[in-house]
Amino acid sequence: MTGCTGIADSFLSSLLRGGDRLYIPALIGGWVLTWLLMYKYHWMVMLNTFLLSVVFIEPAPCDILFVLLFIFGIAGKHIDLARLKGYKSAVLSFILFAIVNTLQLFNIAERWVGIRYYAITLYLVVFCLYISIYANRDNMKGLLAAYVVSSTISALLGILAHLGVFPTILMYDEYSIKGFFKDPNVLGPFLVPAVLIMIDDMGKRRLLSCPIWVYPAVIVINMLGIIATFSRGAWLNLLVCISLYFILNIRKIDFKKVNYKKLLVYAAFFAVAGFLFWNYGLSRDFKLFIFSRLGIQSYDADRFTVQNIGISLALDNLLGYGPGQFECTVMDQIGVKFSSHNLYIRLLVENGAGGFLIFTSGLICIFYRLILDFRLGRSYAVLTPAGLSAILSGIMVNSMVIDTLHWRHFWFFIGLSMANVILGEGKKIENKGAG
């Protein structure tokens, strides 16, 4: 702990020498923060997870806090770097991906854009590896609970924004919510894992010590939030997650014990409620907006064109153009700056065939182990292998229509998956017929 105290003393001494009028509040705040990082470290990691939904500024609060968590985590021995050896294939893939990005910095067109993009990528790789070696069977519940609470509050605030609660902050436009994100296309996918986490844990209720009705309530709130973002990618993400999850678990469902009469009553209730809300709760303009979101948008053609150009550029330069260079490289071709709106095309263009294969091989290793553990019935801390597989699969499909490389929650769940694979190694096999 002496290393942590030394950091705090150095920081506070510099504040005192500055002579700022606010040095006393800063002094108190610094000591409180230092005390929490030293003695309530897991609380701060949970806070950092909660703050993943507050990213309307850069760097986001969770980014600043993570730097302190990383420093105090090493100094206070809260993280064990030796655990990186527990899943060498995936760890090596992401480290090699970071090295490829580093080497490409020496030959890029837009240097400062590339350095900034590279720094964010490197930070997220470190964040992922940190989660993979910090999360364990004792603290996993707290991390996932913090994520679900953060997601549910974000969804609830977005729904309230439609009722006039801080719409200028929480709304992206007249109809779509964004919460404390910059874009509905990121808020929507952020809410999806919370739905899967609640569905996955509803049977055993290991995550939340609460009445059973809280689980469906949280699921409904998050699903309403996903709908209210009007993000087609988020809708597809949710559909893939739920479909894959139930496909993987279909053998565990005892259809003879299903109360079909109760299901029919629930279905009828929601059908009637939906009918009444559609006919009497929505304006004509809102209905037209919803119909417009269900079809092809005018900008979709531009995206497809840019993606075709991206594929051509990737074939012309198999080594890649460097981190953050997609937009400027496309602009050289067509005179207009466009994002790729596709993770895989961005990787091919910026990091080349090698970088693409290295990154995807890391994900393939994780999926392989998750499916293997699912087939063997291995026990994870909270989420099941099926739940994690569904969450990552939804994000990977979502990645076909948006750039997800810098999504914090994407790397959060990659790290959690790696942690669970390491923790599940050698653990007692569960009865496959259970549940």
Side-chain angles (χ1 to χ4, degrees):
M1 293 294 181
T2 55
C4 299
T5 308
I7 294 171
D9 288 340
S10 176
F11 171 72
L12 295 174
S13 297
S14 64
L15 283 176
L16 288 171
R17 286 196 301 267
D20 193 292
R21 293 180 180 178
L22 297 178
Y23 77 86
I24 294 179
L27 179 69
I28 296 172
W31 272 114
V32 170
L33 180 60
T34 302
W35 185 86
L36 288 171
L37 286 165
M38 291 175 64
Y39 300 108
K40 298 294 179 181
Y41 186 81
H42 183 57
W43 289 10
M44 300 305 288
V45 179
M46 289 175 60
L47 175 62
N48 188 70
T49 304
F50 178 84
L51 291 174
L52 290 176
S53 63
V54 184
V55 292
F56 60 92
I57 56 173
E58 298 288 349
C62 60
D63 303 330
I64 298 171
L65 179 56
F66 173 71
V67 174
L68 296 175
L69 285 172
F70 188 76
I71 295 171
F72 278 79
I74 293 176
K77 298 182 180 180
H78 295 289
I79 55 177
D80 182 9
L81 296 177
R83 278 184 60 188
L84 290 173
K85 300 177 183 178
Y87 198 16
K88 294 178 182 177
S89 54
V91 171
L92 182 61
S93 294
F94 295 126
I95 291 176
L96 285 175
F97 180 69
I99 292 173
V100 168
N101 276 265
T102 304
L103 295 175
Q104 289 177 318
L105 283 177
F106 295 98
N107 186 29
I108 55 177
E110 294 285 343
R111 186 165 301 278
W112 290 113
V113 171
I115 291 173
R116 180 180 181 276
Y117 196 90
Y118 160 79
I120 296 172
T121 302
L122 182 62
Y123 153 72
L124 289 170
V125 170
V126 174
F127 173 66
C128 166
L129 297 178
Y130 167 86
I131 293 294
S132 73
I133 61 177
Y134 174 75
N136 56 46
R137 290 180 177 271
D138 295 325
N139 62 35
M140 189 82 69
K141 177 180 175 180
L143 295 179
L144 289 172
Y147 188 95
V148 170
V149 171
S150 178
S151 174
T152 305
I153 291 176
S154 296
L156 190 58
L157 287 174
I159 295 168
L160 291 175
H162 272 289
L163 303 177
V165 179
F166 303 117
T168 55
I169 298 174
L170 301 171
M171 301 285 290
Y172 182 76
D173 54 32
E174 189 177 356
Y175 303 112
S176 305
I177 66 171
K178 66 177 181 65
F180 294 113
F181 287 82
K182 295 179 181 179
D183 193 326
N185 291 314
V186 187
L187 170 61
F190 179 83
L191 305 181
V192 172
V195 175
L196 261 292
I197 292 169
M198 290 289 96
I199 292 174
D200 191 51
D201 191 53
M202 190 178 295
K204 297 183 178 180
R205 294 166 63 188
R206 292 177 292 188
L207 188 61
L208 300 178
S209 300
C210 59
I212 186 62
W213 62 264
V214 173
Y215 276 77
V218 170
I219 291 170
V220 169
I221 290 171
N222 280 279
M223 290 187 73
L224 289 175
I226 293 166
I227 294 170
T229 61
F230 292 100
S231 166
R232 295 170 298 167
W235 296 347
L236 178 62
N237 186 337
L238 179 65
L239 178 62
V240 169
C241 283
I242 293 179
S243 299
L244 180 60
Y245 180 79
F246 282 106
I247 289 172
L248 290 173
N249 288 286
I250 195 165
R251 291 185 178 181
K252 297 182 179 181
I253 301 174
D254 189 349
F255 290 97
K256 293 181 180 179
K257 293 183 179 180
V258 174
N259 191 331
Y260 293 100
K261 186 181 291 187
K262 185 180 289 187
L263 283 178
L264 186 61
V265 170
Y266 286 151
F269 171 78
F270 284 111
V272 171
F275 175 81
L276 294 175
F277 182 70
W278 177 264
N279 283 278
Y280 302 106
L282 298 179
S283 66
R284 181 175 179 274
D285 289 340
F286 205 154
K287 293 176 184 177
L288 290 174
F289 174 77
I290 293 173
F291 280 124
S292 72
R293 294 302 299 165
L294 297 175
I296 300 296
Q297 306 297 305
S298 58
Y299 52 76
D300 288 331
D302 294 331
R303 292 181 179 178
F304 295 145
T305 300
V306 170
Q307 288 168 4
N308 286 330
I309 293 172
I311 293 172
S312 299
L313 290 169
L315 293 174
D316 289 340
N317 184 0
L318 295 177
L319 295 178
Y321 296 85
Q325 302 302 296
F326 184 92
E327 286 79 5
C328 66
T329 306
V330 168
M331 191 166 125
D332 290 341
Q333 297 288 317
I334 61 176
V336 181
K337 184 175 287 189
F338 272 104
S339 294
S340 66
H341 291 281
N342 186 301
L343 168 66
Y344 311 104
I345 293 176
R346 177 178 284 278
L347 287 173
L348 283 168
V349 172
E350 296 188 348
N351 304 120
F356 173 84
L357 291 174
I358 290 170
F359 181 82
T360 53
S361 66
L363 292 175
I364 290 171
C365 289
I366 292 171
F367 273 110
Y368 170 77
R369 282 300 304 273
L370 289 175
I371 297 301
L372 179 63
D373 286 353
F374 169 76
R375 290 172 62 87
L376 294 173
R378 288 196 185 279
S379 172
Y380 282 180
V382 179
L383 277 175
T384 63
L388 284 167
S389 297
I391 289 171
L392 286 180
S393 296
I395 297 175
M396 298 314 296
V397 172
N398 206 156
S399 298
M400 294 166 51
V401 295
I402 192 170
D403 301 323
T404 59
L405 186 64
H406 288 172
W407 283 9
R408 294 165 181 83
H409 75 275
F410 181 21
W411 291 95
F412 176 76
F413 282 102
I414 293 176
L416 276 186
S417 298
M418 293 168 63
N420 277 287
V421 166
I422 295 170
L423 294 171
E425 182 69 31
K427 293 298 177 182
K428 184 177 179 180
I429 305 299
E430 293 178 327
N431 182 2
K432 284 189 178 182

